[in-house]
C-alpha cells in the first residue's frame, strides 16, 4: 500500500492518473484509488447513489490532492468491490469502517456527497473517534423530510435522460435552465477524463438495493447529531431535487459550529457547478 517516493515530483495529484488498488477485509475485496502526498491524515471520499470510482469530479479531487493524501473507494458490492450491497446506510458505514481500518488508519477526514453523506453521518455516530474533519455536501440527516422520495425522482429523471439520450446526472444534479444545462454537460465530460483502467459500472440490483437503503434512511428516526463536535463544512445548491436543500440548513442547525454554503441557481450538484469557488474553500477547511 505504501510506496516510498524519492521525489515530490513523483506524487500523483491528478485523479485521472490515480492508480487502482484493492485491499481485502472481512471477506470483501475493496477497490480504491489513492493520490496526493502520503503521510498525515488522509481525506477519504464517500460517493453518491449508483456511483463508482469514476464518478468523482476531478475539479474537486485534484485541488485537495495537491496537499493531502486522498482516497476514494467503492463500497461493498459496487463497481470493482466484491460482495453484496448492504440494504441499510448503517451497514454501509460498517463497511467503510472495515475498509479504512484495513488500510491501517485510525484517523481520517471525510469528504462526502449525497448518499455518501448519509454513510458519513452513520459512521460518525458509531465511530466518532475515527473522523477529524467532516465535509457534507448534497446530503441530509436521517429521517429528513422527503429523502424517501428520491426513488421516484431518480426513476423519473432516468426516464427523461433516456428519452433525450443524456446522462441521468444532467437531470438529477443540475437545473434544466440556461445556467444548469452547460454546467451539467461540462461535469459529465470531466468524468470522462480518465480513459484507462476505468471502474466497472454499478449493477442494476446493487443500484436498487442502494435506493431501498436511502428510502429506509429517510423513514427512520433521526440520529442525535449534537454528538458531532468535529469541524464540519456543509454545502449544497439552493434547488436540490434529490435531497432537499432545506435539509442542509437542518444539518447546520443540529451540528454545532458547522459552516454552511448554499450556492444560487444550482441543484444537487451545486458543488460541481461552482467547483471553482467551492474547491478552494474545501482545501482551506481541510487544511486547518
Amino acid at each position: 500500500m505504501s510506496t516510498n517516493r524519492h521525489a515530490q515530483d513523483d506524487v500523483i495529484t491528478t485523479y485521472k492518473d490515480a492508480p487502482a488498488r484493492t485491499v481485502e477485509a472481512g471477506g470483501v475485496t475493496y477497490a480504491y484509488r489513492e493520490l496526493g502526498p502520503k503521510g498525515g491524515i488522509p481525506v477519504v471520499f464517500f460517493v453518491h447513489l449508483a456511483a463508482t470510482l469514476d464518478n468523482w469530479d476531478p475539479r474537486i479531487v485534484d485541488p485537495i490532492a495537491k496537499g493531502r493524501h486522498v482516497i476514494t473507494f467503492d463500497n461493498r458490492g459496487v463497481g470493482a468491490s466484491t460482495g453484496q450491497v448492504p440494504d441499510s446506510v448503517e451497514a454501509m458505514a460498517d463497511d467503510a469502517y472495515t475498509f479504512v481500518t484495513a488500510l491501517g488508519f485510525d484517523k481520517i477526514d471525510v469528504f462526502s456527497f449525497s448518499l455518501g453523506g448519509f454513510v458519513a453521518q452513520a459512521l460518525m455516530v458509531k465511530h466518532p473517534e475515527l473522523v477529524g474533519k467532516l465535509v457534507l455536501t448534497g446530503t441530509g440527516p436521517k429521517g429528513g423530510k422527503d429523502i424517501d422520495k428520491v426513488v421516484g425522482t431518480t426513476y423519473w429523471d432516468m426516464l427523461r435522460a433516456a428519452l433525450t439520450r443524456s446522462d441521468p446526472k444532467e437531470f438529477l444534479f443540475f437545473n434544466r435552465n440556461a445556467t444548469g444545462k452547460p454546467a451539467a454537460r461540462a461535469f459529465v465530460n470531466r468524468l470522462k477524463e480518465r480513459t484507462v483502467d476505468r471502474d466497472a459500472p454499478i449493477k442494476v440490483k446493487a443500484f436498487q438495493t442502494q435506493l431501498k437503503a436511502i428510502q429506509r434512511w429517510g423513514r427512520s428516526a433521526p440520529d442525535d447529531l449534537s454528538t458531532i463536535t468535529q469541524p464540519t463544512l456543509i454545502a449544497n445548491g439552493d434547488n436540490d431535487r434529490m435531497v432537499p436543500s432545506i435539509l442542509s440548513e437542518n444539518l447546520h442547525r443540529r451540528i454545532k459550529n458547522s459552516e454552511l454554503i448554499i450556492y444560487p441557481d444550482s441543484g444537487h450538484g451545486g458543488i460541481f457547478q461552482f467547483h471553482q469557488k467551492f474547491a478552494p474553500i474545501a482545501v482551506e477547511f481541510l487544511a486547518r
Side-chain angles (χ1 to χ4, degrees), residues 130-167:
L130 180 67
V131 180
K133 296 187 183 72
L134 178 63
V135 181
L136 297 170
T137 66
T139 196
K142 187 176 182 180
K145 188 176 184 299
D146 292 337
I147 284 177
D148 62 339
K149 293 182 180 178
V150 73
V151 177
T153 302
T154 299
Y155 281 128
W156 171 241
D157 279 1
M158 287 176 68
L159 175 61
R160 295 165 72 196
L163 292 172
T164 56
R165 296 183 179 179
S166 306
D167 188 307

Side-chain angles (χ1 to χ4, degrees), residues 7-286:
Q8 185 70 19
D9 292 343
D10 294 331
V11 176
I12 294 171
T13 57
T14 52
Y15 191 54
K16 69 179 179 64
D17 298 320
R21 306 192 188 283
T22 60
V23 64
E24 293 189 16
V28 175
T29 299
Y30 292 92
Y32 69 101
R33 294 177 189 161
E34 60 180 342
L35 65 160
K38 300 286 181 66
I41 297 171
V43 182
V44 182
F45 279 58
F46 288 37
V47 80
H48 62 84
L49 167 70
T52 68
L53 294 170
D54 291 328
N55 286 101
W56 281 115
D57 189 342
R59 299 302 180 275
I60 299 292
V61 177
D62 292 0
I64 294 173
K66 284 182 180 177
R68 295 290 298 274
H69 181 190
V70 167
I71 298 169
T72 64
F73 74 105
D74 282 332
N75 212 327
R76 175 160 54 103
V78 177
S81 289
T82 64
Q84 292 186 328
V85 171
D87 61 1
S88 75
V89 168
E90 288 78 10
M92 294 177 190
D94 291 338
D95 288 336
Y97 181 79
T98 297
F99 166 73
V100 167
T101 53
L103 292 182
F105 297 112
D106 56 13
K107 181 72 74 175
I108 62 171
D109 290 341
V110 171
F111 187 107
S112 65
F113 175 62
S114 195
L115 168 60
F118 305 160
V119 177
Q121 291 172 64
L123 180 70
M124 295 287 286
V125 170
K126 291 191 174 196
H127 303 283
E129 75 290 343
L130 180 67
V131 180
K133 296 187 183 72
L134 178 63
V135 181
L136 297 170
T137 66
T139 196
K142 187 176 182 180
K145 188 176 184 299
D146 292 337
I147 284 177
D148 62 339
K149 293 182 180 178
V150 73
V151 177
T153 302
T154 299
Y155 281 128
W156 171 241
D157 279 1
M158 287 176 68
L159 175 61
R160 295 165 72 196
L163 292 172
T164 56
R165 296 183 179 179
S166 306
D167 188 307
K169 291 184 286 296
E170 293 189 35
F171 290 84
L172 289 163
F173 288 12
F174 298 88
N175 291 340
R176 300 303 291 166
N177 59 17
T179 307
K181 287 181 179 180
R185 287 191 294 270
F187 168 71
V188 169
N189 286 333
R190 293 197 297 272
L191 299 185
K192 300 174 184 175
E193 289 180 359
R194 185 185 182 97
T195 56
V196 297
D197 199 17
R198 290 181 64 86
D199 202 359
I202 191 167
K203 294 179 173 65
V204 172
K205 185 179 180 182
F207 168 65
Q208 292 172 336
T209 304
Q210 284 188 339
L211 280 173
K212 289 177 183 175
I214 291 173
Q215 194 170 55
R216 179 185 290 185
W217 173 264
R219 294 173 178 174
S220 297
D223 284 326
D224 179 10
L225 299 183
S226 68
T227 60
I228 298 178
T229 58
Q230 290 89 335
T232 303
L233 174 64
I234 302 164
N236 205 347
D238 65 352
N239 184 40
D240 189 337
R241 296 171 56 251
M242 295 194 76
V243 184
S245 304
I246 195 169
L247 295 179
S248 291
E249 298 173 12
N250 182 297
L251 285 172
H252 177 49
R253 286 195 303 272
R254 292 165 62 186
I255 300 176
K256 188 177 181 181
N257 298 323
S258 60
E259 301 171 41
L260 175 66
I261 303 169
I262 300 293
Y263 288 108
D265 192 21
S266 58
H268 190 57
I271 64 165
F272 307 128
Q273 181 171 324
F274 284 89
H275 64 86
Q276 290 178 314
K277 290 184 177 180
F278 177 70
I281 292 172
V283 168
E284 188 275 329
F285 171 80
L286 290 166

